[in-house]
Amino acid sequence: MITLPRIMLATLVLIGGYVFVVAPRVEANTRTTASWQEQLAEPVPSFSPPASAPSRSRATFPQAGTAFFGVFTEKGPGDLTDYNGFVRAAGKSPQVMMFASGWGAEKHFDRQPFDRIVNRGMLPMLGWEPWDYRAESKTDRDRGTQPQYRLARISGGDFDGYLTEWAQGIKALGYPVAIRFAHEMNGYWYPWGESANGNQKGDYVAAWRHVHDLFDRLGAGNVIWVWSPNVVYDNATPLSQLYPGDAYVDWVGLSGYYGTAGMETYQTFEQIYRPTLNELKTLSRRPIVVTETAATDKQGRKADWITDLLQTLPRHPEIIGFLWYESVKETDWRIAATPAASAAFAQGIAQPYYGATWDPDMVPRRLIRTN
């Protein structure tokens, strides 16, 4: 099992609010909701191809026998420098792009980042963070302390005006949007973690369900809900305590990096992810997406790790895609950083397995495939 001393996590933060490497579990739930297909059949604005384009069947994303690859950059669609470097290095374009948005900083809905991503042929994934990352403490144990963003305030309705504006805005987009809400909740470094900020056991599930239900009531059925813990580590909050149930989740996401602070000794993808993947099998039937990953080159093995990643994922049919963190932060995580890393990524991603395609008429794969 991968362990991560808590003191080391202080260096693992991305400015938009991202840390890496911890775990998840799941509980049964009897709530029923309309299926994705039923939601799309409702009178919700939809993306319409040009009149001259042939009609498209409602295919599943990603298609059977394939996985998608995506990109997450620190600056998101507002500055495409890292994205463009990633595309050049990979030799082809990704199908998903994630960007982060904090409740305290981005106070109003803005459709432009979503449109910029869709106009480049990618599914937008919003990393939606209930905190003010500008006020983040630089003291490790205090990073998750922002009382105004306690989970009980979310489930209690204090942010319903804000949530309503965003739900209506996302509904009006008329195309699918993945929302990775309050990620890495099994750690202590964000205000929405149950081990931080005065939160109590059960608060996370209550907050998640409250946000989900509000979107449902407003008819925002174009959302793919992504529940995304960190890969497991010692003393993390048990995932079974945090999982809102399959009726509230479409995809399960995971964060896990090779080479975070103090852990530069080489570890394969299996060594980093296997304990969490085994745990998830007992918790959910939802597909898994590696929502954050990358590798250091401090020991000269970044290209090796990329090759291992892209050769290993096809042996995990439960994993339907991954997103690479293409930015310079704690280290230079970019595949574009060196010719060796670029070549390894381009060679691996050229496999037919990574040949998934996306368009706005597709529906998300919501059950794990075994073939």
Side-chain angles (χ1 to χ4, degrees):
M1 175 177 292
I2 304 303
T3 62
L4 185 59
R6 293 162 95 75
I7 191 66
M8 295 176 180
L9 286 169
T11 61
L12 305 181
V13 184
L14 308 180
I15 287 293
Y18 281 83
V19 181
F20 6 103
V21 291
V22 201
R25 255 199 281 184
V26 181
E27 63 187 21
N29 176 316
T30 58
R31 181 181 182 276
T32 58
T33 58
S35 69
W36 176 267
Q37 291 86 346
E38 290 168 341
Q39 290 168 344
L40 286 179
E42 293 172 0
V44 178
S46 61
F47 185 94
S48 299
S52 58
S55 61
R56 292 179 285 205
S57 61
R58 197 146 281 173
T60 299
F61 176 76
Q63 296 77 41
T66 70
F68 69 78
F69 77 100
V71 63
F72 168 44
T73 67
E74 183 181 351
K75 295 182 179 179
D79 182 341
L80 294 172
T81 302
D82 285 334
Y83 165 80
N84 290 332
F86 177 81
V87 173
R88 286 192 297 270
K92 64 181 185 180
S93 298
Q95 299 90 44
V96 179
M97 184 176 189
M98 181 165 70
F99 69 100
S101 178
W103 291 16
E106 289 75 44
K107 293 183 180 296
H108 296 287
F109 178 78
D110 179 4
R111 71 173 292 149
Q112 290 189 32
F114 300 93
D115 286 344
R116 288 174 184 155
I117 293 171
V118 170
N119 289 340
R120 285 167 176 79
M122 296 178 289
L123 168 70
M125 183 179 291
L126 168 66
W128 212 21
E129 305 171 358
W131 72 332
D132 188 346
Y133 58 78
R134 299 167 303 179
E136 170 194 350
S137 172
K138 302 306 177 186
T139 303
D140 183 35
R141 292 304 312 184
D142 294 333
R143 287 199 56 244
T145 303
Q146 290 191 9
Q148 64 270 41
Y149 292 102
R150 264 189 198 129
L151 291 168
R153 295 197 67 214
I154 298 174
S155 58
D158 291 1
F159 294 94
D160 281 5
Y162 175 84
L163 294 172
T164 295
E165 178 185 339
W166 278 73
Q168 291 172 335
I170 288 174
K171 172 183 175 180
L173 292 174
Y175 49 71
V177 171
I179 295 182
R180 183 195 189 213
F181 171 64
H183 65 294
E184 295 170 9
M185 74 300 290
N186 52 333
Y188 63 85
W189 48 87
Y190 289 130
W192 54 84
E194 284 193 352
S195 63
N197 206 29
N199 297 320
Q200 303 296 316
K201 183 177 180 179
D203 283 352
Y204 184 85
V205 168
W208 178 284
R209 291 179 179 175
H210 180 81
V211 174
H212 185 287
D213 287 347
L214 186 146
F215 272 66
D216 265 5
R217 287 195 302 271
L218 294 174
N222 54 326
V223 174
I224 303 167
W225 292 96
V226 185
W227 179 79
S228 184
N230 210 63
V231 296
V232 294
Y233 73 100
D234 285 351
N235 300 317
T237 305
L239 293 175
S240 58
Q241 178 177 315
L242 301 168
Y243 190 63
D246 278 4
Y248 286 84
V249 173
D250 297 299
W251 293 345
V252 170
L254 287 176
S255 300
Y257 288 63
Y258 154 56
T260 50
M263 296 185 68
E264 289 85 4
T265 301
Y266 187 74
Q267 298 176 82
T268 65
F269 175 86
E270 291 285 354
Q271 288 174 306
I272 295 169
Y273 279 85
R274 173 60 74 179
T276 309
L277 293 173
N278 288 343
E279 188 171 359
L280 285 174
K281 289 178 182 178
T282 69
L283 303 176
S284 177
R285 296 190 64 220
R286 294 296 180 232
I288 296 168
V289 174
V290 174
T291 44
E292 285 187 50
T293 199
T296 184
D297 210 15
K298 286 192 175 180
Q299 291 197 344
R301 301 202 63 182
K302 182 174 188 172
D304 293 341
W305 198 86
I306 291 171
T307 297
D308 174 71
L309 167 74
L310 298 175
Q311 290 178 347
T312 302
L313 288 183
R315 300 197 289 270
H316 285 278
E318 73 277 21
I319 300 176
I320 63 171
F322 76 96
L323 290 92
W324 187 270
Y325 180 62
E326 185 73 5
S327 287
V328 181
K329 193 57 184 173
E330 301 78 14
T331 188
D332 193 340
W333 300 109
R334 299 172 302 160
I335 63 167
T338 66
S342 297
F345 196 92
Q347 181 177 358
I349 219 71
Q351 299 174 69
Y353 187 73
Y354 300 104
T357 58
W358 179 81
D359 73 52
D361 282 343
M362 292 178 176
V363 297
R365 191 191 303 177
R366 297 181 73 244
L367 290 175
I368 293 174
R369 292 181 181 271
T370 58
N371 52 42

